Amino acid sequence: LVFIMEEAGIHGRIHQATFLTGLGLLKLSCIFIAAPLFDKFGRRPMMFISLSGCILALLVIASDFFAAVSNPTKVITGLAIYVSFFSLGLGPLGWVIPSEIFSTTIRAKAISTTTLINRLTGTVVTSSILTMATWLSWGGYFLFLACTCLGILMFFVTYLPETKGKSLEEMAHHFAVVANDKSILLSVDNGNDSNENEADIGPESKESVQLLL
């Protein structure tokens, strides 16, 4: 963020520290706001809202760097919009959703894998900012990030399931249908048949079986 501010024309260390502190507090506040909204509106809508806001913010920042004269206020506004919408969905839901979609049979390994990918992706992005900005220019870099977020949004619209109020078994069945995993589908169907058969046995029949035993 310091490099972005310097490119936008904010050079004073005191001003940079003030803006960084403000952005950090804004990001933290939005996380607390987002927590109850996940259960009220669901994970999918909040993720879509978050990504849409991030795309808007990145386009605002990119447009400023493409302009002949940079406007620091516009850049700070874009950064504020970005951290706000990121904290309303994409940031926290990146940890919440993986914990709600994996069945207990693969839960530990799957969450470990998603955490590893999350951290590796963050490392690659943060370590390549200056290289990418030099190659694409700062305006081109933020435009690239906006296009990336748009691709993620389209992917989530197509494949991201709603996990609100769903059990791990329901999520396992959902992904089995998507992947056409017949072994899981058959086990679920057999379980449902067993439950229906037990329901068909009346109280008198159950008492008879207990007497025979």
Side-chain angles (χ1 to χ4, degrees):
L1 288 178
V2 173
F3 291 107
I4 297 172
M5 289 182 181
E6 289 182 351
E7 289 294 326
I10 304 173
H11 301 292
R13 294 299 180 186
I14 296 178
H15 289 91
Q16 291 177 355
T18 301
F19 286 128
L20 288 174
T21 303
L23 291 173
L25 292 174
L26 177 62
K27 182 178 180 181
L28 180 63
S29 301
C30 288
I31 291 177
F32 285 104
I33 295 173
L37 298 180
F38 294 154
D39 290 328
K40 183 176 181 180
F41 298 109
R43 280 58 162 163
R44 272 176 61 91
M46 291 304 298
M47 183 65 84
F48 298 160
I49 292 172
S50 174
L51 281 166
S52 299
C54 288
I55 293 171
L56 174 63
L58 292 169
L59 290 176
V60 169
I61 299 173
S63 66
D64 181 77
F65 282 112
F66 281 127
V69 179
S70 180
N71 184 353
T73 302
K74 190 175 181 181
V75 173
I76 293 299
T77 302
L79 290 173
I81 295 173
Y82 181 84
V83 298
S84 299
F85 278 93
F86 180 85
S87 299
L88 288 176
L90 190 59
L93 287 178
W95 301 100
V96 172
I97 292 177
S99 68
E100 297 179 334
I101 62 176
F102 296 116
S103 64
T104 53
T105 56
I106 62 170
R107 186 178 179 82
K109 293 180 180 179
I111 292 181
S112 298
T113 302
T114 58
T115 302
L116 175 62
I117 294 173
N118 188 314
R119 295 297 85 198
L120 285 177
T121 303
T123 301
V124 170
V125 171
T126 54
S127 61
S128 63
I129 288 178
L130 295 180
T131 302
M132 293 290 290
T134 302
W135 183 38
L136 298 174
S137 79
W138 282 102
Y141 177 66
F142 282 105
L143 184 60
F144 167 76
L145 291 180
C147 292
T148 302
C149 287
L150 179 60
I152 295 172
L153 176 60
M154 294 174 64
F155 178 84
F156 282 164
V157 169
T158 305
Y159 295 107
L160 181 67
E162 177 57 70
T163 59
K164 174 187 174 183
K166 300 291 183 64
S167 66
L168 295 177
E169 290 74 15
E170 289 175 309
M171 297 310 305
H173 182 265
H174 169 82
F175 285 109
V177 172
V178 173
N180 195 25
D181 191 337
K182 296 182 180 180
S183 61
I184 296 179
L185 294 175
L186 288 175
S187 65
V188 172
D189 291 339
N190 291 335
N192 292 335
D193 292 341
S194 299
N195 293 333
E196 291 177 359
N197 292 334
E198 291 179 1
D200 291 339
I201 300 177
E204 296 180 357
S205 300
K206 292 182 179 179
E207 292 177 2
S208 302
V209 172
Q210 292 176 353
L211 290 176
L212 290 173
L213 294 175

